[in-house]
Amino acid sequence: MSVAHPRKSIAWIAGIMISCIASATSAASLDTIAKQAVLIDMSTGTTLFEKNAHQRMATSSMSKIMTMYMVFERIKAGRLSLDDTMPVSERAWRMQGSKMFTELNAQIKVEDLIKGVIIQSGNDASVVLAEGLSGSEERFAEEMTKRARELGMADSNFKNATGWPDDNHYSTCYDLALLAEHLIKEYPEFYHYYSQTEFTYHGIKQGNRNPLLYRNMNVDGMKTGHTETAGYGLTASAERNGRRLILVVNGLPSMQARADESARIIEWGFREFESYALFKKGEPVEQAAVWMGAAGTVPLVVEDDLRVTMNRDERKNLKVSVVLEEPVPAPVAKGTRLGKIVMEAPGFSKREVPLVAGQDVERLGFIGRIGAAAMHLVSGSGS
């Protein structure tokens, strides 16, 4: 009879590499004056810190990350070019708040509009793009919301392209972090705009509003936001030694607090946590016995590189176990899920990752099956 049972239990595996979506806690406590916050290790999907991360909030100009996602999607699909131009309507020209200072009825290159949105946080540039792509800002906002839901942003709703205050325009720290991850992964060829520190248009030079770009701490994006209702917010990303952290904070009382608090949380994430490689994609983790197969065993592998992010003190207590049912009846198709890896440690959310067959195993022919059955009866083996 086949039964599920644990196999090797490994206190720690060194030098060995899935994206594990997990939640980690640090022995070193962290708090923040931000009303909402989340810090995620993008390399493993691990949430390192959160505070009201799923609480709906006004996102102000951080909404423009979604606007840019829509623009980049059109460019990559071949439906838009950086050299295309778009007209400035009176509505766009009259937009208040942060501006690119577009001219009424001017035809502006898409690449300049992108810089105007990302670097200068131009509300006018955002509306020009929205109207140019969808005919109206309202229609564009509907498309933003639809696409956000498709990306898994379940608690987001967009009523405009700018983040202009509206009771029905909202998102969460978690959703914005998820959006940032999608943009970075899917459109790396455009991500460089977020690290550009200044842009001059119409004779007016403006600096990037992201304060962490100027602090020599490996931050290369993404977007600030501020309204009287929402307070000061920031979506930021930094990469060091192959690890990328994404931070979203909101509801801070001042520009200085936004800069200092964001820097403090990111430095804490890099200092207190590390990403550890466990198994590489396709590398045998265990061998499962096969019943009536042309081979007696089949290698079990992970479908993607497996890494975990943990507090440094938790690493030595990590326990890795293999759970599977065997013997596995032949035939076995490569990629069939046959077991799982279970990872446990104090203060670390239990994680389970599927193990799949690393190769095909054909079933024995008729004569071979008779012989195997006879051998089984003689030996009395079973499980």
Side-chain angles (χ1 to χ4, degrees):
M1 179 174 62
S2 296
V3 295
H5 60 283
R7 295 290 287 270
K8 293 179 182 176
S9 182
I10 308 159
W12 178 252
I13 308 169
I16 324 177
M17 272 184 150
I18 212 166
S19 279
C20 305
I21 299 178
S23 179
T25 57
S26 171
S29 60
L30 178 72
D31 197 6
T32 177
I33 59 174
K35 292 180 180 178
Q36 301 93 9
V38 70
L39 179 67
I40 295 176
D41 189 318
M42 183 171 146
S43 63
T44 61
T46 305
T47 299
L48 308 184
F49 174 76
E50 59 181 318
K51 177 182 179 181
N52 300 324
H54 295 275
Q55 184 179 84
R56 289 180 178 179
M57 62 189 191
T59 54
S60 54
S61 286
M62 291 186 290
S63 304
K64 291 167 183 166
I65 300 174
M66 190 72 222
T67 300
M68 286 297 95
Y69 183 92
M70 303 291 287
V71 172
F72 296 155
E73 189 173 55
R74 298 285 184 94
I75 295 174
K76 197 159 189 175
R79 299 168 59 191
L80 184 68
S81 164
L82 292 173
D83 292 324
D84 287 344
T85 61
M86 291 184 175
V88 180
S89 68
E90 183 170 351
R91 175 176 177 172
W93 177 66
R94 289 188 180 278
M95 282 299 300
Q96 298 302 304
S98 52
K99 297 169 67 73
M100 179 183 174
F101 296 102
T102 55
E103 312 98 312
L104 179 62
N105 298 324
Q107 292 282 339
I108 303 179
K109 284 179 57 175
V110 167
E111 185 171 26
D112 286 340
L113 291 167
I114 290 171
K115 293 176 182 178
V117 173
I118 293 175
I119 302 166
Q120 301 175 331
S121 197
N123 291 331
D124 49 356
S126 299
V127 174
V128 171
L129 286 166
E131 293 176 340
L133 292 179
S134 302
S136 71
E137 186 180 10
E138 291 79 9
R139 176 58 183 161
F140 184 76
E142 292 173 2
E143 294 173 3
M144 289 170 72
T145 299
K146 181 176 182 293
R147 191 70 183 98
R149 300 288 166 79
E150 292 169 351
L151 295 176
M153 299 169 63
D155 292 308
S156 296
N157 192 67
F158 298 95
K159 301 301 290 183
N160 54 65
T162 63
W164 196 260
D166 186 301
D167 289 343
N168 290 315
H169 186 108
Y170 55 80
S171 188
T172 68
C173 281
Y174 178 83
D175 278 7
L176 289 178
L178 181 63
L179 172 62
E181 181 175 353
H182 274 289
L183 190 148
I184 293 168
K185 284 183 175 179
E186 296 172 26
Y187 306 111
E189 65 270 38
F190 304 123
Y191 185 61
H192 66 91
Y193 291 117
Y194 284 97
S195 60
Q196 189 170 329
T197 55
E198 62 181 38
F199 176 55
T200 301
Y201 181 78
H202 200 46
I204 302 171
K205 182 168 73 173
Q206 297 186 65
N208 196 311
R209 287 163 167 75
N210 184 348
L212 302 189
L213 292 177
Y214 309 96
R215 291 203 176 196
N216 192 30
M217 53 184 296
N218 305 99
V219 170
D220 51 16
M222 296 187 68
K223 191 72 192 73
T224 57
H226 170 255
T227 62
E228 292 299 322
T229 301
Y232 290 84
L234 174 65
T235 298
S237 185
E239 185 174 31
R240 294 182 195 171
N241 302 319
R243 288 179 65 202
R244 178 172 288 280
L245 301 187
I246 295 175
L247 170 71
V248 184
V249 292
N250 205 25
L252 287 157
S254 67
M255 292 177 64
Q256 190 64 48
R258 174 173 63 190
D260 294 342
E261 196 71 348
S262 298
R264 183 177 72 89
I265 295 173
I266 288 175
E267 291 294 352
W268 174 86
F270 280 120
R271 182 180 67 249
E272 296 294 331
F273 293 86
E274 185 57 85
S275 179
Y276 302 104
L278 295 184
F279 297 100
K280 293 181 179 179
K281 177 180 179 179
E283 177 184 9
V285 176
E286 182 59 278
Q287 297 284 333
V290 178
W291 171 245
M292 295 291 183
T297 62
V298 61
L300 302 181
V301 303
V302 289
E303 298 174 286
D304 295 285
D305 288 352
L306 174 54
R307 304 181 67 92
V308 293
T309 298
M310 302 182 71
N311 176 273
R312 297 176 188 274
D313 293 334
E314 296 164 353
R315 174 187 175 183
K316 59 182 177 292
N317 296 316
L318 177 64
K319 177 183 177 183
V320 182
S321 302
V322 172
V323 177
L324 61 118
E325 293 186 359
E326 61 178 354
V328 179
V332 180
K334 183 178 180 180
T336 302
R337 293 192 177 187
L338 300 176
K340 61 186 177 182
I341 294 174
V342 179
M343 296 169 287
E344 300 174 276
F348 176 80
S349 298
K350 182 178 178 180
R351 293 290 304 136
E352 296 184 355
V353 178
L355 284 171
V356 303
Q359 63 187 39
D360 295 328
V361 178
E362 299 295 331
R363 192 181 187 200
L364 285 172
F366 178 71
I367 301 300
R369 295 200 301 275
I370 292 176
M375 182 68 71
H376 176 77
L377 290 173
V378 170
S379 64
S381 61
S383 62

